[in-house]
Amino acid sequence: MADETPRSFSDRLAVQPDKPAELVAAATVILLRDSDDGLETLMLRKNSKIAFGGMWVFPGGRIDDDDGSPDDPMEERARLAAVREAEEEASLDLDPDGLVWFSHWTPPPVEIRRFSTWFFAAPAPSSEVTIDDGEITDSRWLSPRAALDQQREGEIELVPPTFVTLHYLQPYDTAAEALAGLGGDGLRRYVTQIGKGDEGMVVMWEGDAGYDARDPNLPGARHRLTMSKQGYHFDDSGVA
């Protein structure tokens, strides 16, 4: 009988398939608001029975055929998809022109579904978050630091793009500062490579010494996320 024990995200990344899953265009939006405790962002928990089940994510999903037309620029279609997903998953109404595009993520060749994803940020509307309790089973407004602390304590599970985004949100005190900073730093493109290091699976991006060879054990500059049994460790010291 096949082993049906649920695998962690790092375990699933470790599987190198003969034929990787096809890339699916997707978009997500990081909703930001000010609170008495500082900057907060909306996190949603995916239903455990769907892709990335059980993960805590930002609102988002695949770009559908109805998100613009095939002749529209993909960024425009991604904006429409991010707005639609925010409404479907959290009942929040956004202006696509008010979204700040700050990164794009291409996943490694793995067996699980692969989403080539546009990451946007936007100020959260004042309306109440309402989830469908179907695709999304829970929601929380969390400070970036609180979300990362909960991940380290095993309370929530995060995929690498979410973890890295939260890391870069930590220095900001307000939503306005975060939006200005994300929009002013220039577009960041992450084309992911993975390898097995001494401490566990290592997710690498351009600027890491082991990136081209997919060998995290090579000495040199670092731009990576190490996923060990002790937790995630992000090192971008090789990036200007």
Short mmCIF file of all heavy atoms in Angstrom, two decimals, residues 17-58:
data_model
loop_
_atom_site.label_atom_id
_atom_site.label_comp_id
_atom_site.label_asym_id
_atom_site.label_seq_id
_atom_site.Cartn_x
_atom_site.Cartn_y
_atom_site.Cartn_z
N PRO A 17 10.50 15.07 -10.44
CA PRO A 17 9.72 14.25 -11.37
C PRO A 17 10.38 14.14 -12.74
O PRO A 17 11.18 14.99 -13.14
CB PRO A 17 8.40 15.04 -11.46
CG PRO A 17 8.81 16.46 -11.28
CD PRO A 17 9.95 16.42 -10.28
N ASP A 18 10.03 13.08 -13.47
CA ASP A 18 10.50 12.92 -14.84
C ASP A 18 9.90 14.00 -15.73
O ASP A 18 10.55 14.50 -16.65
CB ASP A 18 10.13 11.54 -15.38
CG ASP A 18 10.86 10.42 -14.64
OD1 ASP A 18 11.97 10.68 -14.16
OD2 ASP A 18 10.30 9.32 -14.55
N LYS A 19 8.66 14.36 -15.45
CA LYS A 19 7.98 15.39 -16.22
C LYS A 19 7.36 16.40 -15.25
O LYS A 19 6.32 16.12 -14.66
CB LYS A 19 6.89 14.79 -17.12
CG LYS A 19 6.23 15.80 -18.03
CD LYS A 19 5.20 15.15 -18.94
CE LYS A 19 4.56 16.17 -19.86
NZ LYS A 19 3.53 15.55 -20.75
N PRO A 20 7.98 17.55 -15.08
CA PRO A 20 7.45 18.54 -14.14
C PRO A 20 6.05 19.01 -14.53
O PRO A 20 5.67 18.98 -15.70
CB PRO A 20 8.45 19.69 -14.22
CG PRO A 20 9.68 19.09 -14.82
CD PRO A 20 9.20 18.01 -15.73
N ALA A 21 5.31 19.46 -13.55
CA ALA A 21 3.99 20.03 -13.81
C ALA A 21 4.12 21.27 -14.67
O ALA A 21 5.12 22.01 -14.58
CB ALA A 21 3.31 20.37 -12.49
N GLU A 22 3.14 21.50 -15.52
CA GLU A 22 3.16 22.69 -16.38
C GLU A 22 2.95 23.95 -15.55
O GLU A 22 2.29 23.93 -14.51
CB GLU A 22 2.07 22.58 -17.45
CG GLU A 22 2.31 21.46 -18.46
CD GLU A 22 1.25 21.46 -19.56
OE1 GLU A 22 0.41 22.38 -19.56
OE2 GLU A 22 1.29 20.56 -20.40
N LEU A 23 3.51 25.05 -16.05
CA LEU A 23 3.34 26.33 -15.38
C LEU A 23 1.92 26.86 -15.60
O LEU A 23 1.39 26.81 -16.71
CB LEU A 23 4.34 27.36 -15.89
CG LEU A 23 5.78 27.23 -15.38
CD1 LEU A 23 6.68 28.19 -16.14
CD2 LEU A 23 5.84 27.51 -13.89
N VAL A 24 1.32 27.38 -14.53
CA VAL A 24 0.00 28.00 -14.58
C VAL A 24 0.15 29.46 -14.19
O VAL A 24 0.71 29.77 -13.13
CB VAL A 24 -0.98 27.29 -13.62
CG1 VAL A 24 -2.33 28.00 -13.62
CG2 VAL A 24 -1.14 25.82 -14.00
N ALA A 25 -0.30 30.37 -15.03
CA ALA A 25 -0.22 31.80 -14.73
C ALA A 25 -1.17 32.14 -13.58
O ALA A 25 -2.33 31.71 -13.57
CB ALA A 25 -0.56 32.63 -15.95
N ALA A 26 -0.68 32.91 -12.62
CA ALA A 26 -1.46 33.23 -11.44
C ALA A 26 -1.12 34.63 -10.93
O ALA A 26 -0.14 35.25 -11.39
CB ALA A 26 -1.22 32.20 -10.34
N ALA A 27 -1.91 35.12 -10.00
CA ALA A 27 -1.68 36.44 -9.41
C ALA A 27 -2.12 36.41 -7.95
O ALA A 27 -3.05 35.69 -7.59
CB ALA A 27 -2.44 37.52 -10.17
N THR A 28 -1.44 37.19 -7.14
CA THR A 28 -1.79 37.30 -5.73
C THR A 28 -1.66 38.75 -5.30
O THR A 28 -0.95 39.53 -5.93
CB THR A 28 -0.90 36.39 -4.87
OG1 THR A 28 -1.42 36.29 -3.55
CG2 THR A 28 0.51 36.93 -4.79
N VAL A 29 -2.37 39.11 -4.23
CA VAL A 29 -2.32 40.49 -3.76
C VAL A 29 -2.10 40.50 -2.25
O VAL A 29 -2.80 39.81 -1.50
CB VAL A 29 -3.58 41.28 -4.14
CG1 VAL A 29 -4.85 40.63 -3.62
CG2 VAL A 29 -3.49 42.73 -3.67
N ILE A 30 -1.11 41.28 -1.82
CA ILE A 30 -0.81 41.45 -0.41
C ILE A 30 -1.58 42.67 0.07
O ILE A 30 -1.27 43.80 -0.33
CB ILE A 30 0.72 41.62 -0.19
CG1 ILE A 30 1.45 40.32 -0.50
CG2 ILE A 30 0.99 42.03 1.24
CD1 ILE A 30 1.68 40.07 -1.96
N LEU A 31 -2.59 42.44 0.88
CA LEU A 31 -3.43 43.53 1.38
C LEU A 31 -2.87 44.04 2.70
O LEU A 31 -2.61 43.26 3.62
CB LEU A 31 -4.87 43.04 1.57
CG LEU A 31 -5.56 42.67 0.25
CD1 LEU A 31 -6.89 41.97 0.51
CD2 LEU A 31 -5.77 43.90 -0.61
N LEU A 32 -2.68 45.35 2.78
CA LEU A 32 -2.00 45.96 3.91
C LEU A 32 -2.91 46.96 4.61
O LEU A 32 -3.64 47.71 3.97
CB LEU A 32 -0.73 46.68 3.42
CG LEU A 32 0.27 45.80 2.67
CD1 LEU A 32 1.34 46.66 2.02
CD2 LEU A 32 0.91 44.78 3.61
N ARG A 33 -2.83 46.96 5.94
CA ARG A 33 -3.59 47.94 6.71
C ARG A 33 -2.80 48.35 7.95
O ARG A 33 -1.88 47.63 8.40
CB ARG A 33 -4.95 47.37 7.13
CG ARG A 33 -4.89 46.35 8.26
CD ARG A 33 -6.27 45.92 8.71
NE ARG A 33 -6.21 45.08 9.91
CZ ARG A 33 -7.27 44.53 10.50
NH1 ARG A 33 -8.48 44.69 9.97
NH2 ARG A 33 -7.14 43.81 11.59
N ASP A 34 -3.16 49.51 8.50
CA ASP A 34 -2.55 49.99 9.73
C ASP A 34 -3.41 49.58 10.91
O ASP A 34 -4.65 49.62 10.85
CB ASP A 34 -2.42 51.51 9.70
CG ASP A 34 -1.51 51.99 8.57
OD1 ASP A 34 -0.55 51.27 8.24
OD2 ASP A 34 -1.77 53.08 8.01
N SER A 35 -2.76 49.19 12.00
CA SER A 35 -3.47 48.84 13.22
C SER A 35 -2.76 49.50 14.40
O SER A 35 -1.69 50.11 14.25
CB SER A 35 -3.50 47.32 13.42
OG SER A 35 -2.22 46.85 13.81
N ASP A 36 -3.34 49.37 15.58
CA ASP A 36 -2.70 49.93 16.78
C ASP A 36 -1.34 49.30 17.04
O ASP A 36 -0.48 49.90 17.70
CB ASP A 36 -3.61 49.71 18.00
CG ASP A 36 -4.89 50.53 17.92
OD1 ASP A 36 -4.91 51.51 17.15
OD2 ASP A 36 -5.87 50.16 18.59
N ASP A 37 -1.15 48.09 16.53
CA ASP A 37 0.11 47.38 16.72
C ASP A 37 1.06 47.52 15.54
O ASP A 37 2.11 46.87 15.49
CB ASP A 37 -0.15 45.89 17.00
CG ASP A 37 -0.94 45.69 18.28
OD1 ASP A 37 -0.69 46.42 19.25
OD2 ASP A 37 -1.81 44.80 18.30
N GLY A 38 0.67 48.34 14.54
CA GLY A 38 1.52 48.54 13.37
C GLY A 38 0.94 47.91 12.12
O GLY A 38 -0.26 47.64 12.02
N LEU A 39 1.80 47.66 11.15
CA LEU A 39 1.39 47.14 9.85
C LEU A 39 0.88 45.71 9.97
O LEU A 39 1.48 44.88 10.64
CB LEU A 39 2.59 47.18 8.90
CG LEU A 39 2.36 46.61 7.49
CD1 LEU A 39 1.40 47.48 6.70
CD2 LEU A 39 3.69 46.47 6.76
N GLU A 40 -0.24 45.43 9.28
CA GLU A 40 -0.79 44.08 9.22
C GLU A 40 -1.11 43.70 7.78
O GLU A 40 -1.38 44.58 6.94
CB GLU A 40 -2.06 43.97 10.06
CG GLU A 40 -1.85 44.09 11.55
CD GLU A 40 -3.13 43.91 12.34
OE1 GLU A 40 -4.22 44.23 11.78
OE2 GLU A 40 -3.06 43.48 13.50
N THR A 41 -1.08 42.41 7.50
CA THR A 41 -1.45 41.91 6.19
C THR A 41 -2.43 40.75 6.34
O THR A 41 -2.43 40.05 7.36
CB THR A 41 -0.20 41.45 5.40
OG1 THR A 41 -0.58 41.11 4.06
CG2 THR A 41 0.46 40.25 6.05
N LEU A 42 -3.28 40.57 5.34
CA LEU A 42 -4.30 39.54 5.40
C LEU A 42 -3.72 38.20 4.96
O LEU A 42 -3.17 38.07 3.88
CB LEU A 42 -5.48 39.90 4.50
CG LEU A 42 -6.61 38.88 4.44
CD1 LEU A 42 -7.27 38.70 5.80
CD2 LEU A 42 -7.66 39.29 3.40
N MET A 43 -3.88 37.19 5.81
CA MET A 43 -3.45 35.83 5.50
C MET A 43 -4.68 34.92 5.47
O MET A 43 -5.56 35.02 6.33
CB MET A 43 -2.47 35.32 6.56
CG MET A 43 -1.25 36.19 6.79
SD MET A 43 -0.13 36.22 5.37
CE MET A 43 0.34 34.50 5.25
N LEU A 44 -4.71 34.03 4.48
CA LEU A 44 -5.83 33.10 4.31
C LEU A 44 -5.30 31.67 4.35
O LEU A 44 -4.23 31.38 3.82
CB LEU A 44 -6.53 33.34 2.97
CG LEU A 44 -7.05 34.75 2.69
CD1 LEU A 44 -7.65 34.81 1.28
CD2 LEU A 44 -8.09 35.16 3.73
N ARG A 45 -6.09 30.78 4.96
CA ARG A 45 -5.68 29.37 5.02
C ARG A 45 -6.42 28.58 3.95
O ARG A 45 -7.66 28.58 3.90
CB ARG A 45 -5.97 28.76 6.39
CG ARG A 45 -5.42 27.34 6.56
CD ARG A 45 -5.68 26.83 7.97
NE ARG A 45 -4.97 25.58 8.19
CZ ARG A 45 -5.47 24.37 7.92
NH1 ARG A 45 -6.68 24.27 7.40
NH2 ARG A 45 -4.76 23.28 8.18
N LYS A 46 -5.65 27.89 3.08
CA LYS A 46 -6.22 27.09 2.02
C LYS A 46 -6.83 25.80 2.57
O LYS A 46 -6.29 25.18 3.49
CB LYS A 46 -5.13 26.72 0.99
CG LYS A 46 -4.66 27.87 0.13
CD LYS A 46 -5.61 28.10 -1.02
CE LYS A 46 -5.02 29.06 -2.04
NZ LYS A 46 -5.94 29.29 -3.17
N ASN A 47 -7.93 25.39 1.97
CA ASN A 47 -8.54 24.10 2.29
C ASN A 47 -7.51 22.99 2.09
O ASN A 47 -6.79 22.98 1.09
CB ASN A 47 -9.75 23.88 1.38
CG ASN A 47 -10.57 22.67 1.78
OD1 ASN A 47 -10.05 21.58 1.98
ND2 ASN A 47 -11.87 22.86 1.90
N SER A 48 -7.44 22.06 3.02
CA SER A 48 -6.43 21.01 2.98
C SER A 48 -6.60 20.06 1.81
O SER A 48 -5.69 19.28 1.49
CB SER A 48 -6.45 20.21 4.28
OG SER A 48 -7.72 19.59 4.47
N LYS A 49 -7.76 20.10 1.12
CA LYS A 49 -8.03 19.16 0.03
C LYS A 49 -7.69 19.72 -1.35
O LYS A 49 -7.92 19.04 -2.35
CB LYS A 49 -9.50 18.75 0.07
CG LYS A 49 -9.89 18.01 1.35
CD LYS A 49 -11.35 17.61 1.33
CE LYS A 49 -11.74 16.86 2.62
NZ LYS A 49 -13.17 16.47 2.61
N ILE A 50 -7.16 20.94 -1.42
CA ILE A 50 -6.85 21.54 -2.72
C ILE A 50 -5.36 21.81 -2.81
O ILE A 50 -4.60 21.53 -1.88
CB ILE A 50 -7.65 22.83 -2.95
CG1 ILE A 50 -7.27 23.91 -1.91
CG2 ILE A 50 -9.15 22.56 -2.88
CD1 ILE A 50 -7.95 25.22 -2.14
N ALA A 51 -4.92 22.36 -3.97
CA ALA A 51 -3.50 22.66 -4.16
C ALA A 51 -3.00 23.58 -3.05
O ALA A 51 -3.68 24.54 -2.67
CB ALA A 51 -3.29 23.32 -5.52
N PHE A 52 -1.81 23.27 -2.52
CA PHE A 52 -1.23 24.00 -1.40
C PHE A 52 -2.14 23.97 -0.18
O PHE A 52 -2.22 24.92 0.59
CB PHE A 52 -0.89 25.44 -1.80
CG PHE A 52 0.09 25.53 -2.92
CD1 PHE A 52 -0.31 25.85 -4.21
CD2 PHE A 52 1.43 25.26 -2.70
CE1 PHE A 52 0.60 25.90 -5.26
CE2 PHE A 52 2.35 25.31 -3.74
CZ PHE A 52 1.94 25.63 -5.01
N GLY A 53 -2.85 22.85 -0.04
CA GLY A 53 -3.80 22.70 1.07
C GLY A 53 -3.14 22.88 2.43
O GLY A 53 -2.06 22.38 2.69
N GLY A 54 -3.83 23.62 3.30
CA GLY A 54 -3.36 23.87 4.64
C GLY A 54 -2.39 25.03 4.75
O GLY A 54 -2.11 25.49 5.87
N MET A 55 -1.87 25.50 3.63
CA MET A 55 -0.93 26.62 3.66
C MET A 55 -1.65 27.93 3.97
O MET A 55 -2.83 28.10 3.64
CB MET A 55 -0.22 26.75 2.31
CG MET A 55 0.59 25.54 1.89
SD MET A 55 2.12 25.45 2.83
CE MET A 55 2.86 24.00 2.06
N TRP A 56 -0.91 28.85 4.58
CA TRP A 56 -1.40 30.20 4.77
C TRP A 56 -0.82 31.07 3.67
O TRP A 56 0.40 31.09 3.47
CB TRP A 56 -1.02 30.72 6.15
CG TRP A 56 -1.89 30.12 7.22
CD1 TRP A 56 -1.74 28.90 7.81
CD2 TRP A 56 -3.06 30.70 7.80
NE1 TRP A 56 -2.74 28.67 8.72
CE2 TRP A 56 -3.57 29.76 8.75
CE3 TRP A 56 -3.73 31.91 7.62
CZ2 TRP A 56 -4.70 30.01 9.50
CZ3 TRP A 56 -4.86 32.16 8.37
CH2 TRP A 56 -5.34 31.23 9.30
N VAL A 57 -1.69 31.74 2.94
CA VAL A 57 -1.30 32.45 1.73
C VAL A 57 -1.94 33.84 1.71
O VAL A 57 -2.78 34.18 2.54
CB VAL A 57 -1.75 31.67 0.47
CG1 VAL A 57 -1.09 30.29 0.43
CG2 VAL A 57 -3.28 31.52 0.43
N PHE A 58 -1.53 34.64 0.74
CA PHE A 58 -2.22 35.88 0.43
C PHE A 58 -3.36 35.57 -0.55
O PHE A 58 -3.31 34.55 -1.25
CB PHE A 58 -1.25 36.88 -0.20
CG PHE A 58 -0.02 37.15 0.61
CD1 PHE A 58 1.24 36.79 0.12
CD2 PHE A 58 -0.09 37.76 1.85
CE1 PHE A 58 2.40 37.04 0.85
CE2 PHE A 58 1.06 38.00 2.60
CZ PHE A 58 2.30 37.64 2.09
#
